[in-house]
Amino acid sequence: MTSPASATPFDGRDPSVTRPAEPPRATAARRGLAALSTARLRPVVLPVVTAALMIAAWEAVVRLREIPEVLLPAPSAVAARLWETLPFLLGQAVPTTLETIAGFAISTLLGIALAVMVTASRLAREAFYPNIVFFQLIPKIALAPLFIVWLGIGSSSRITFSVFISFFPVVVATLTGLTSVDRDLLRLCRAVGARGVRVYTQVRFPAAVPHIFSGLKIAITFAMIGVIVGEFITAQAGLGYMILFAASQAEMALIFASIVLLCVIGLGLYALVVLAERIALRRYGG
């Protein structure tokens, strides 16, 4: 006689019916899909969770130690200030964003053109590349007043300073990509009579696409830095000007609110560069 403790609970299924085992292939496919979903979500979930934990720690430290808002506002105070001033800050963000895009576009064209010129001519490489490196070694902040003296206090000085900061990564990355093409492929181009522009458009540039966009990702951040530095010095509008004005008024929450908006704009511009990279890589089979 079976004891109550050893009795198997009734689950509603007929014990006389033998159910087929799940095929190993289906189990492996399910595990593969789960692993793929985890791999896709991890690059998004981990940064978000890390940022949330850091913000929570920041909030806790400010509240527990009762740090004055004039020294370090809590994230909740920054969020409230951002919500209150969002329409005004968005208006201030327009010139900053437009000047950043203009500086980035000019630095992209200038950097790629210089890289092509240096690649195409050994004389140009020997004449220009050392000087480009030399100018890159000069402290950029020290030259900011010179751009203001030469170009005035308008947007042209800020855009020029932004270009001066951001074009060098584009030059180096593009030059690396254009010169890293397989030599056998270039010999094949010469053998079939391909020269000049055709070699660049069909061989060198497709091979250089990953390198070019590596430089562009750096350049978009440098372009915004250049504009913000220029706004610190000359502008009467923009998020850089708002940060400087809020600092003069000891409005720490407004400073952090402006920085948060700057980060959002920077992430958006960086995402556009990444999207363009994916389109280019898909086009050229990268």
Side-chain angles (χ1 to χ4, degrees):
M1 185 173 181
T2 305
S3 62
S6 62
T8 302
F10 179 68
D11 58 359
R13 296 181 294 182
D14 189 353
S16 63
V17 178
T18 303
R19 300 186 179 276
E22 188 176 8
R25 185 174 299 177
T27 304
R30 185 178 292 107
R31 291 176 180 174
L33 289 175
L36 183 61
S37 300
T38 303
R40 288 181 176 179
L41 291 176
R42 182 179 298 174
V44 178
V45 173
L46 285 180
V48 171
V49 172
T50 303
L53 291 176
M54 293 177 63
I55 292 173
W58 176 7
E59 182 81 24
V61 168
V62 171
R63 291 183 178 275
L64 291 176
R65 300 184 67 89
E66 298 181 351
I67 299 176
E69 188 171 329
V70 294
L71 295 179
L72 181 65
S76 57
V78 174
R81 188 62 170 159
L82 177 61
W83 180 256
E84 293 173 0
T85 59
L86 185 58
F88 176 74
L89 290 180
L90 287 176
Q92 297 295 317
V94 171
T96 302
T97 306
L98 294 179
E99 291 171 1
T100 300
I101 294 173
F104 172 72
I106 296 172
S107 65
T108 299
L109 296 176
L110 179 62
I112 293 176
L114 285 175
V116 171
M117 182 179 64
V118 169
T119 306
S121 172
R122 179 174 296 181
L123 179 62
R125 181 185 182 94
E126 294 174 353
F128 288 100
Y129 193 70
N131 291 310
I132 294 173
V133 175
F134 171 75
F135 279 110
Q136 179 64 21
L137 297 177
I138 299 174
K140 305 301 184 300
I141 304 300
L143 296 179
L146 294 179
F147 287 95
I148 298 169
V149 172
W150 293 335
L151 301 173
I153 62 173
S155 61
S156 58
S157 62
R158 294 187 292 274
I159 293 174
T160 304
F161 186 66
S162 175
V163 172
F164 182 70
I165 287 181
S166 60
F167 88 99
F168 185 75
V170 182
V171 175
V172 174
T174 306
L175 183 61
T176 302
L178 293 177
T179 56
S180 63
V181 181
D182 189 356
R183 297 299 177 184
D184 294 333
L185 188 57
L186 294 177
R187 294 190 187 98
L188 178 61
C189 292
R190 288 194 293 268
V192 299
R195 293 288 187 275
V197 178
R198 190 172 183 182
V199 174
Y200 274 90
T201 56
Q202 298 187 6
V203 178
R204 287 188 181 272
F205 271 111
V209 164
H211 297 85
I212 293 173
F213 277 96
S214 296
L216 294 182
K217 291 176 184 177
I218 302 173
I220 189 63
T221 59
F222 281 10
M224 177 168 283
I225 292 173
V227 171
I228 295 301
V229 170
E231 288 181 347
F232 282 164
I233 301 173
T234 65
Q236 297 298 317
L239 291 177
Y241 169 75
M242 284 304 305
I243 292 173
L244 197 64
F245 174 78
S248 67
Q249 302 295 319
E251 285 276 354
M252 295 297 293
L254 184 57
I255 293 176
F256 278 96
S258 302
I259 293 174
V260 169
L261 189 55
L262 272 176
C263 292
V264 172
I265 295 171
L267 286 174
L269 295 176
Y270 187 89
L272 291 177
V273 175
V274 172
L275 178 61
E277 179 186 22
R278 292 184 178 180
I279 295 174
L281 291 177
R282 188 176 304 170
R283 167 66 176 81
Y284 292 108

